[in-house]
């Protein structure tokens, strides 16, 4: 049984790595740049920290179900980053200065990002509480997603655009000199 579980974890790790590579490729194609793709993916390790912290606080083991939740979490974190940075890029292309565009995008996209995050969190709450038939098996998945989203959403809303503005500002300064 231990060997079967170890094999399953190795396979999930490979799936996770493949998911990150595919998501990164899609992000680079979407933004036609490396910087936003890297910044959005940097929120993923922080979400992993939130997932592991909630699993630890609830005394839930890291198992196949929670590992699947972590893989799911990557997609959710990336979705929020895309919603924010893509809109700021659109506003910038329409003529808004970059700094104004990223602030404007944050203000406009805050509500949809929070709505989708809260819907996901509240939708997973019955599983996280172990309510319903078979919920006990999926409880680790729900806890991993809830913990990861709870940490990654503020990071996506605050740190990612802030870092993007800082990096883009440094790039604009170096082009001027």
């Amino acid at each position: 049984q231990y060997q079967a579980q170890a094999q399953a974890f190795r396979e999930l790790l490979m799936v996770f790595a493949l998911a990150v590579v595919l998501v990164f490729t899609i992000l680079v194609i979407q933004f036609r740049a490396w910087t936003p793709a890297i910044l959005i993916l940097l929120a993923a390790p922080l979400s992993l920290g939130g997932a592991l912290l909630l699993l630890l606080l609830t005394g839930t083991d890291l198992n196949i179900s929670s590992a699947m939740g972590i893989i799911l979490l990557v997609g959710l974190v990336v979705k929020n980053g895309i919603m924010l940075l893509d809109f700021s890029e659109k506003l910038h292309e329409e003529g808004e200065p970059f700094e104004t565009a990223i602030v404007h995008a944050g203000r406009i996209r805050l509500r949809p990002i929070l709505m989708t995050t809260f819907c996901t969190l509240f939708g997973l709450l019955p599983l996280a509480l172990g309510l319903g038939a078979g919920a006990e098996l999926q409880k680790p998945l729900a806890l991993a997603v809830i913990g990861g989203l709870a940490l990654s959403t503020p990071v996506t809303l605050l740190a990612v655009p802030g870092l993007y503005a800082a990096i883009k500002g440094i790039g604009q300064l170096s082009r001027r000199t």
Side-chain angles (χ1 to χ4, degrees):
Q1 189 176 12
Y2 173 77
Q3 288 175 341
Q5 188 171 12
Q7 177 66 24
F9 268 112
R10 280 192 298 274
E11 290 171 4
L12 273 176
L13 189 60
M14 192 176 334
V15 168
F16 182 76
L18 181 61
V20 169
V21 168
L22 291 173
V23 165
F24 182 73
T25 303
I26 290 168
L27 287 171
V28 169
I29 291 168
Q30 166 73 25
F31 289 106
R32 296 178 299 282
W34 297 93
T35 304
I38 292 169
L39 285 174
I40 289 171
L41 275 183
L42 282 178
L46 290 172
S47 67
L48 175 67
L52 294 176
L53 180 63
L54 189 57
L55 289 171
L56 180 68
L57 290 174
T58 58
T60 306
D61 293 332
L62 181 65
N63 58 23
I64 301 301
S65 182
S66 55
M68 288 172 52
I70 290 169
I71 293 170
L72 172 69
L73 194 54
V74 171
L76 294 170
V77 169
V78 167
K79 173 201 58 84
N80 289 341
I82 290 171
M83 285 176 62
L84 186 61
L85 294 187
D86 185 55
F87 192 64
S88 72
E89 290 289 325
K90 180 179 179 257
L91 292 173
H92 184 59
E93 287 171 6
E94 291 174 356
E96 272 193 50
F98 178 75
E99 294 81 12
T100 307
I102 202 147
V103 170
H104 190 194
R107 207 174 21 248
I108 299 292
R109 292 295 188 211
L110 174 66
R111 187 169 177 223
I113 288 172
L114 289 178
M115 285 173 55
T116 57
T117 298
F118 285 130
C119 285
T120 303
L121 294 177
F122 289 127
L124 290 171
L125 196 55
L127 283 179
L129 295 173
L131 305 174
E136 202 56 42
L137 292 173
Q138 298 306 320
K139 183 177 180 177
L141 180 142
L143 289 172
V145 173
I146 289 171
L149 272 181
L151 184 60
S152 71
T153 300
V155 167
T156 301
L157 289 170
L158 301 171
V160 169
L163 286 170
Y164 191 38
I167 290 170
K168 207 142 181 175
I170 290 170
Q172 289 174 353
L173 283 176
S174 66
R175 281 194 291 260
R176 289 180 193 157
T177 57

